[in-house]
């Protein structure tokens, strides 16, 4: 009966999958009524140990509560910047295959328009939202989108029934305005139509307001919902309510080196990294003890504002949790929390052209940091501390750029307060959530159109305690963004970072025992080193990875983007009026000369 039972179960699963693909509505009607709701919480630019449950000192009780209810994944990887991660999170497909080979703001001109480099999701992928909507879910999005702002690329065309989104890489958190000269305005959309923001708002609060309103609007219909929340916290400008900033006064007076050490120790105590794991000090980290008293005060305030912004986001998550508990939906809701990449190292004032723009639009006075009209950021030294105990940060392929916290909570039939050290990837989340929802994944086509097959693996066996690994030891998972590259295979990682952080050469690490990437194994394991380089070449070939042009610099590329998409269009728009002004001036001068004659 054991073999017969297995055959019958497989037949039932195959039948359900075929029904879902052939007729999504019929499949939805055939499923149990109480399928779980799904809430995905995406933090922006949070370091690996910013969350309390991952070793941080920042107060994140709501996220920590989710960790106790579910599983923490200590070896989870994303892309090193915004939109490529979001593209993979929503499609389960490598960013080069889903159209976001790079984000538009960092894409060199020679890549623009090439296959896989549209900077927006292409037509060869179907999103999680589309699959869940067609499978009987309500679908909502609020917050940062960064996957396009044309009619064809906004959330309504990608499976979201209701949406309120910010379309660019970020915006101000207190006012409706761009945070940098990459954009001429803050591009917010509601139901795919441009919208203005309230005069008095804070981004994390507004995002949760919109999701709660969407859930309430559809609650009587009895369908489960999928809510995608893309917080702007803690993307620059780092801004937060003053009361929370004051709470952290003095918390970071010991500096970033002390913070890195403290977070490393807590991560070890929590079982997130091995006890003997080393930690590097990056060349970009300044010597805290060499700073003047005034400099220390200013730098400490930057981290105080950062911590306050993270706690403010956690508080808003608490409002959403309270609403779900009030309506009886909390126990039937699966939560996913992650950060889209590591902590942001860039200080905009270190770039001359950006500094000039910032001086005209923001204040950097100590007493105003975090408030309306003020610009604050972490800088590389604090960013390295936020990533502790890992190496590098946002933009780069070291673990500090790619490894971020992941928490999955509320999956039926699973135990809470556990840590998984399994190698996991952002593309694993779509197959996981589809399995949670009982919705079949597309197998090469969807609604008669060819689509990319999912590349990730479901994490359900790990969540349910049936497996220790999510991927086979021989399975290679490649990565590339702006020339920084990696390949994961079992416990090992092949890594190449471009200057100024790296040397543009390959290195090899055992990230299971050495997550800080301290011991390079390329000389001691030459066969593995060579084999993984071949694996990467195969990954790059299959996924259409393009080589970076000589001399590429992501900071310079951002300025070129602004020149092309903001300054030149504004100049051309003003040119006719300038010509009219010149013509009028000539007429006046000629008239005066004639009168004098």
């Amino acid at each position: 009966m054991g073999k017969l039972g297995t055959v019958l179960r497989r037949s039932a699963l195959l039948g359900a999958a075929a029904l879902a693909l052939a007729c999504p509505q019929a499949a939805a009607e055939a499923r149990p009524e109480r399928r779980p709701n799904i809430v995905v919480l995406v933090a922006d630019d949070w370091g690996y140990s910013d969350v309390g449950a991952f070793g941080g000192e920042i107060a994140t009780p709501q996220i920590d509560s989710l960790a106790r209810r579910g599983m923490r994944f200590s070896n989870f990887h994303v892309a090193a910047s915004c939109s490529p991660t979001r593209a993979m999170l929503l499609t389960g497909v490598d960013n080069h295959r889903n159209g976001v080979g790079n984000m538009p703001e960092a894409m060199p001109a020679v890549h623009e328009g090439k296959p896989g480099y549209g900077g927006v999701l292409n037509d060869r992928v179907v999103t999680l939202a589309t699959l869940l909507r067609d499978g009987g879910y309500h679908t909502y999005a609020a917050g940062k989108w960064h996957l396009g702002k044309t009619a064809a690329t906004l959330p309504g065309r990608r499976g979201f029934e209701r949406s309120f989104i910010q379309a660019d890489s970020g915006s101000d958190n207190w006012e409706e305005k761009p945070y940098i000269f990459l954009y001429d305005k803050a591009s917010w959309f509601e139901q795919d139509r441009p919208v203005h923001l309230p005069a008095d708002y804070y981004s994390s609060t507004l995002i949760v307001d919109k999701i709660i309103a969407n859930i309430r609007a559809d609650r009587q219909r009895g369908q489960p919902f999928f809510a995608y929340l893309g917080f702007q916290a803690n993307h620059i400008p780092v801004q937060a309510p003053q009361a929370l900033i004051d709470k952290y006064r003095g918390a970071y007076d010991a500096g970033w080196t002390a913070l890195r050490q403290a977070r490393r120790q807590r991560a070890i105590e929590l079982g997130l990294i091995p006890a003997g794991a080393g930690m590097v000090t990056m060349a970009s980290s300044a010597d805290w003890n060499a700073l003047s008293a005034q400099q220390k005060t200013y730098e400490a305030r930057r981290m105080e504002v950062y911590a306050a912004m993270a706690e403010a986001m956690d508080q808003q998550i608490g409002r959403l949790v309270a609403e779900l508990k009030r309506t009886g939906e909390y126990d039937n809701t699966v939560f996913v929390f992650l950060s889209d990449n590591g902590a942001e190292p860039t200080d905009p004032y270190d770039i001359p052209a950006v500094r000039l723009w910032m001086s005209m639009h923001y204040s950097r006075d100590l007493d105003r940091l975090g408030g309306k009209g003020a610009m604050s950021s972490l800088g590389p030294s604090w960013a390295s501390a936020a990533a502790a105990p890992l190496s590098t940060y946002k933009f780069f392929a070291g673990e500090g750029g790619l490894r971020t916290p992941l928490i999955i909570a509320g999956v039926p039939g699973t135990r809470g307060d556990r840590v998984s050290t399994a190698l996991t990837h952002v593309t694993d989340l779509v197959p996981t959530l589809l399995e949670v929802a009982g919705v079949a994944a597309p197998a090469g086509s969807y609604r008669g159109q060819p689509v990319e097959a999912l590349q990730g693996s479901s994490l359900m066996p790990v969540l349910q305690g049936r497996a220790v690994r999510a991927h086979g030891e021989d399975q290679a998972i490649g990565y590339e963004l702006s020339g920084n590259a990696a390949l994961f295979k079992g416990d090992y990682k092949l890594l190449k970072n471009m200057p100024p952080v790296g040397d543009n050469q390959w290195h090899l690490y055992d990230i299971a025992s050495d997550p800080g990437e301290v011991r390079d194994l390329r000389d001691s394991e030459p066969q593995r080193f060579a084999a993984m380089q071949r694996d990467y070449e195969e990954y790059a070939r299959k996924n259409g990875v393009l080589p970076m042009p000589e001399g590429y610099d992501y900071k310079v590329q951002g300025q070129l983007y602004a020149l092309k998409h903001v300054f030149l269009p504004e100049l051309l728009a003003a040119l006719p009026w300038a010509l009219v002004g010149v013509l009028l001036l000539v007429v006046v001068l000629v008239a005066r000369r004639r009168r004098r004659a």
Side-chain angles (χ1 to χ4, degrees), residues 152-405:
T153 58
L154 286 166
R157 297 291 293 272
R158 286 299 181 176
F160 288 99
E161 295 174 333
R162 300 176 188 265
S163 62
F164 183 92
I165 61 97
Q166 195 281 113
D168 296 314
S169 64
S171 66
D172 194 273
N173 298 286
W174 293 113
E175 302 176 83
E176 186 186 328
K177 67 179 186 180
Y179 75 99
I180 199 169
F181 62 21
L182 294 171
Y183 316 106
D184 60 349
K185 62 182 178 180
S187 298
W188 287 87
F189 294 82
E190 187 163 27
Q191 297 301 93
D192 294 358
R193 293 186 295 273
V195 66
H196 290 292
L197 302 183
D200 183 23
Y201 81 97
Y202 181 66
S203 64
S204 293
T205 305
L206 182 63
I207 288 165
V208 171
D209 283 346
K210 293 296 181 179
I211 288 295
I212 289 176
N214 290 337
I215 293 171
R216 288 175 177 174
D218 290 327
R219 185 165 180 265
Q220 299 304 318
R221 299 187 181 184
Q223 294 172 245
F225 64 82
F226 165 52
Y228 174 86
L229 291 82
F231 291 95
Q232 292 193 166
N234 279 10
H235 196 284
I236 59 171
V238 180
Q239 298 168 317
Q242 188 61 47
L244 288 178
I245 297 173
D246 293 341
K247 173 183 174 180
Y248 287 93
R249 190 68 56 89
Y252 299 102
D253 288 353
W256 38 69
T257 302
L259 182 62
R260 273 180 66 75
Q261 293 292 348
R263 287 191 175 193
R264 173 184 176 273
Q265 184 58 39
R266 281 194 291 270
I268 291 172
E269 293 169 358
L270 291 169
L272 299 170
I273 64 168
M279 187 169 64
V280 301
T281 298
M282 294 187 63
S284 58
S285 292
D287 180 357
W288 179 262
N289 294 324
L291 302 182
S292 68
Q294 184 178 9
Q295 288 172 321
K296 287 180 179 178
T297 298
Y298 192 88
E299 290 296 336
R301 180 64 53 81
R302 295 170 80 181
M303 189 63 198
E304 291 164 8
V305 175
Y306 181 88
M309 191 178 194
E311 183 174 348
M313 186 187 109
D314 184 82
Q315 289 181 351
Q316 297 309 311
I317 292 173
R319 285 181 55 228
L320 175 59
V321 167
E323 171 69 11
L324 295 178
K325 287 181 176 179
R326 184 187 69 82
T327 59
E329 293 291 343
Y330 177 76
D331 291 334
N332 190 44
T333 300
V334 172
F335 289 86
V336 177
F337 169 84
L338 71 151
S339 176
D340 63 346
N341 44 248
E344 166 71 79
T346 307
D347 184 340
Y349 289 96
D350 288 341
I351 306 171
V354 181
R355 182 168 63 246
L356 177 63
W357 187 91
M358 289 288 173
S359 67
M360 296 185 291
H361 295 83
Y362 282 102
S363 168
R364 61 188 306 195
D365 293 345
L366 173 69
D367 292 337
R368 292 189 61 186
L369 291 184
K372 186 177 292 187
M375 169 60 67
S376 185
S377 61
L378 273 188
S381 299
W382 285 123
S384 183
L390 309 175
S391 177
T392 79
Y393 26 55
K394 181 179 178 179
F395 298 119
F396 298 97
E399 289 295 274
L402 302 185
R403 188 187 293 212
T404 69

Side-chain angles (χ1 to χ4, degrees), residues 322-543:
E323 171 69 11
L324 295 178
K325 287 181 176 179
R326 184 187 69 82
T327 59
E329 293 291 343
Y330 177 76
D331 291 334
N332 190 44
T333 300
V334 172
F335 289 86
V336 177
F337 169 84
L338 71 151
S339 176
D340 63 346
N341 44 248
E344 166 71 79
T346 307
D347 184 340
Y349 289 96
D350 288 341
I351 306 171
V354 181
R355 182 168 63 246
L356 177 63
W357 187 91
M358 289 288 173
S359 67
M360 296 185 291
H361 295 83
Y362 282 102
S363 168
R364 61 188 306 195
D365 293 345
L366 173 69
D367 292 337
R368 292 189 61 186
L369 291 184
K372 186 177 292 187
M375 169 60 67
S376 185
S377 61
L378 273 188
S381 299
W382 285 123
S384 183
L390 309 175
S391 177
T392 79
Y393 26 55
K394 181 179 178 179
F395 298 119
F396 298 97
E399 289 295 274
L402 302 185
R403 188 187 293 212
T404 69
L406 171 67
I407 297 168
I408 301 179
V411 176
T414 62
R415 294 185 296 108
D417 204 13
R418 291 178 298 152
V419 173
S420 169
T421 60
L423 173 67
T424 48
H425 191 260
V426 64
T427 54
D428 297 334
L429 293 177
V430 169
T432 303
L433 294 177
L434 289 178
E435 186 170 350
V436 165
V439 174
S445 66
Y446 191 73
R447 293 188 173 274
Q449 299 296 320
V451 296
E452 297 279 353
L454 299 185
Q455 293 176 289
S457 299
S458 173
L459 301 180
M460 286 296 285
V462 177
L463 286 163
Q464 293 172 340
R466 295 184 285 111
V468 175
R469 289 184 179 271
H471 300 275
E473 293 187 60
D474 293 330
Q475 181 182 349
I477 302 173
Y479 166 81
E480 188 276 341
L481 187 62
S482 294
N484 303 304
L487 184 121
F488 302 90
K489 194 173 185 180
D491 293 339
Y492 293 85
K493 176 185 175 183
L494 187 70
L495 169 65
K496 179 173 68 174
N497 274 318
M498 295 181 68
V501 165
D503 57 6
N504 205 26
Q505 301 296 315
W506 287 113
H507 302 269
L508 179 66
Y509 301 97
D510 177 350
I511 58 170
S513 63
D514 180 27
E517 296 169 321
V518 175
R519 301 184 301 275
D520 189 353
L521 304 177
R522 63 178 179 177
D523 293 331
S524 60
E525 298 204 36
Q527 292 182 336
R528 187 188 304 275
F529 183 54
M532 290 183 68
Q533 287 183 76
R534 291 192 295 272
D535 289 336
Y536 178 81
E537 290 169 1
E538 180 67 7
Y539 158 77
R541 184 188 65 79
K542 285 185 175 180
N543 290 278

Side-chain angles (χ1 to χ4, degrees), residues 86-100 116 120-131 133 145 147 152 157-159 427 430 442 444-447 449-455 543:
R86 296 162 198 273
M88 291 190 282
L89 170 61
L90 287 173
T91 67
V93 175
D94 183 88
N95 59 298
H96 299 88
R97 303 185 77 91
N98 65 35
V100 191
V120 297
L121 294 178
N122 60 35
D123 293 332
R124 298 193 305 276
V125 289
V126 57
T127 67
L128 174 64
T130 296
L131 295 169
R133 181 200 63 193
W145 176 245
L147 293 171
R157 297 291 293 272
R158 286 299 181 176
T427 54
V430 169
S445 66
Y446 191 73
R447 293 188 173 274
Q449 299 296 320
V451 296
E452 297 279 353
L454 299 185
Q455 293 176 289
N543 290 278

Side-chain angles (χ1 to χ4, degrees), residues 21-100:
L21 288 173
C23 184
Q25 184 60 40
E29 293 172 357
R31 298 188 195 96
E33 292 182 4
R34 288 289 289 173
R35 290 184 293 158
N37 308 308
I38 298 170
V39 173
V40 174
L41 307 163
V42 186
D44 202 330
D45 294 356
W46 282 35
Y48 180 77
S49 54
D50 279 336
V51 179
F54 277 76
E57 73 297 328
I58 300 173
T60 55
Q62 302 299 330
I63 300 171
D64 297 346
S65 177
L66 296 178
R68 290 190 296 272
R69 187 184 177 208
M71 177 176 280
R72 283 166 287 170
F73 290 82
S74 65
N75 193 8
F76 170 69
H77 295 82
V78 293
S81 65
C82 317
S83 53
T85 289
R86 296 162 198 273
M88 291 190 282
L89 170 61
L90 287 173
T91 67
V93 175
D94 183 88
N95 59 298
H96 299 88
R97 303 185 77 91
N98 65 35
V100 191

